[in-house]
Amino acid sequence: MARMSYISSVERYHEYEHVIHSLLESILISIEDGLTKERDTRYLVKQYPFLELQYCLNEQGLQQGNNVCFKRAYAKKLGASGNQQDLSERPYFLQSKANDAVCFTDPYISIATHHLCISAIKELKKPINNHHYLVVDVSLTQLIEFIMGDTARANMSPYFKAGYGVIVACLFGLVLFLLNIVFSDIYALLTHVDTSSDPLEPFSIIIYITLALAVFDLGKTILEEEILMHKDIFRHSSTRRTITRFISTVLIAISIEALLTMFKAALGQAEYLMPAIAMMLAVVGLLIALAIYVYLGAKAETLLMRARLKQKSSK
């Protein structure tokens, strides 16, 4: 499960915009209080892991002092830079000069960290050493994870991905083992032609190919859903997509097995007729159940989205 994509981050930002702005405003007040009373604000780093940069501007929009980096990864790169940088044309500075309220940018890619972030700016009530404006940059993805209580799971994500990677490697190894059997049986079939051999013998090869196909599809689904793609566990659509893909893989495997069993029955082995019919009925049942699940899940999510939009418009 990859970390939150940019699209998901922006969508969540607009969904929780009011909460995010309230949180950042309280953080700016805490930092301002620390500047005024010369208190150490490093405790904020542990409490709010999404903080990235802090700096101050004068009345003309020139940065006063170097960047204050909240993360060690950027401390060496950015900690000794930024002093006297002209930020007077930045939209957040112009917006802050126009009114006294705390101002926030729209999500953007930070030049400093190359991450999706937002900036919050606040005019200091009591300017200190020509510091008139306080600016804080935060990582939007980590901020949303913090807001949603998803930080611990996100931090464990690399270990989850490693576990899924081992499982996928085992599945693909099993596919290679099955294909090795298939190639060996095909070679034996082509090199030892016997007119008196069992006509159903080639079906064992098809069964191995079907198993290899099913296992490969399962491994591919796990690789895409749990390692390569971002899965928003808070949205029903992500879970529904995973279940739909998994059930589709099972349906394909059962359908092919049912077809092969039906061929065996048609070639004279009547005892395979009822199992073939039972598997076909199972396929039909799974298709109907999957259709009902997808329809009801999509309908429920639509109702939830409408309720959220209605709640947001009423505020």
Side-chain angles (χ1 to χ4, degrees):
M1 55 190 78
R3 256 189 140 138
M4 193 175 295
S5 65
Y6 285 175
I7 292 178
S8 298
S9 298
V10 174
E11 286 179 348
R12 289 294 188 182
Y13 169 74
H14 290 298
E15 187 174 346
Y16 296 102
E17 188 172 358
H18 178 71
V19 178
I20 289 172
H21 288 181
S22 298
L23 176 61
L24 292 181
E25 187 170 355
S26 67
I27 292 174
L28 283 171
I29 293 173
S30 298
I31 296 176
E32 180 184 8
D33 186 60
L35 291 174
T36 304
K37 300 179 180 179
E38 297 184 355
R39 291 178 178 174
D40 190 357
T41 57
R42 285 181 293 181
Y43 70 92
L44 292 172
V45 181
K46 294 182 179 180
Q47 192 169 357
Y48 305 112
F50 50 81
L51 295 173
E52 289 189 334
L53 294 176
Q54 170 198 326
Y55 48 93
C56 293
L57 308 177
N58 63 11
E59 285 186 304
Q60 290 74 40
L62 294 177
Q63 182 170 330
Q64 303 299 296
N66 294 322
N67 298 313
V68 176
C69 298
F70 291 104
K71 296 185 177 178
R72 294 180 180 177
Y74 307 119
K76 293 183 179 180
K77 179 181 178 183
L78 304 172
S81 63
N83 188 29
Q84 295 302 311
Q85 183 180 4
D86 187 1
L87 303 175
S88 59
E89 298 299 322
R90 297 292 174 91
Y92 58 82
F93 177 73
L94 297 175
Q95 186 180 0
S96 182
K97 288 199 70 174
N99 57 73
D100 297 331
V102 178
C103 299
F104 306 91
T105 65
D106 290 327
Y108 68 97
I109 302 297
S110 171
I111 299 175
T113 63
H114 306 294
H115 291 168
L116 189 66
C117 77
I118 61 173
S119 296
I121 182 170
K122 182 182 187 300
E123 184 177 5
L124 298 176
K125 295 179 181 179
K126 296 179 180 180
I128 307 169
N129 298 328
N130 206 25
H131 295 176
H132 289 265
Y133 296 92
L134 173 64
V135 186
V136 171
D137 293 350
V138 302
S139 170
L140 183 58
T141 300
Q142 293 183 344
L143 172 57
I144 294 172
E145 291 170 352
F146 179 85
I147 290 288
M148 302 181 69
D150 195 34
T151 302
R153 187 206 61 81
N155 291 335
M156 288 294 294
S157 180
Y159 303 102
F160 294 152
K161 290 168 69 174
Y164 280 118
V166 172
I167 293 173
V168 169
C170 292
L171 289 173
F172 286 162
L174 180 59
V175 170
L176 293 176
F177 173 75
L178 292 171
L179 290 178
N180 180 58
I181 297 175
V182 169
F183 292 139
S184 298
D185 288 350
I186 291 175
Y187 178 77
L189 189 66
L190 294 176
T191 54
H192 299 86
V193 180
D194 187 359
T195 55
S196 62
S197 62
D198 186 3
L200 296 178
E201 186 176 349
F203 281 96
S204 62
I205 300 176
I206 301 176
I207 291 173
Y208 283 121
I209 294 175
T210 304
L211 289 174
L213 175 63
V215 174
F216 181 83
D217 276 343
L218 178 60
K220 175 174 171 289
T221 300
I222 295 175
L223 178 65
E224 292 176 343
E225 292 287 333
E226 305 296 345
I227 299 178
L228 301 179
M229 297 175 62
H230 164 68
K231 182 193 289 186
D232 190 345
I233 62 173
F234 294 97
R235 294 194 188 279
H236 298 288
S237 56
S238 298
T239 304
R240 190 168 63 248
R241 181 188 66 205
T242 303
I243 293 177
T244 301
R245 295 189 63 182
F246 177 76
I247 295 298
S248 298
T249 302
V250 175
L251 280 171
I252 292 171
I254 296 177
S255 299
I256 295 175
E257 290 298 329
L259 187 61
L260 293 175
T261 307
M262 191 69 74
F263 284 157
K264 289 182 179 180
L267 290 174
Q269 296 188 359
E271 66 272 14
Y272 288 108
L273 181 60
M274 293 309 296
I277 294 174
M279 281 192 285
M280 285 295 185
L281 291 175
V283 170
V284 173
L286 280 174
L287 278 173
I288 294 174
L290 181 61
I292 293 173
Y293 170 76
V294 172
Y295 172 75
L296 293 179
K299 190 172 182 180
E301 188 168 10
T302 302
L303 292 174
L304 285 173
M305 292 297 293
R306 287 178 181 175
R308 288 175 182 172
L309 290 174
K310 188 176 180 180
Q311 184 180 7
K312 185 179 291 187
S313 62
S314 63
K315 290 183 178 179

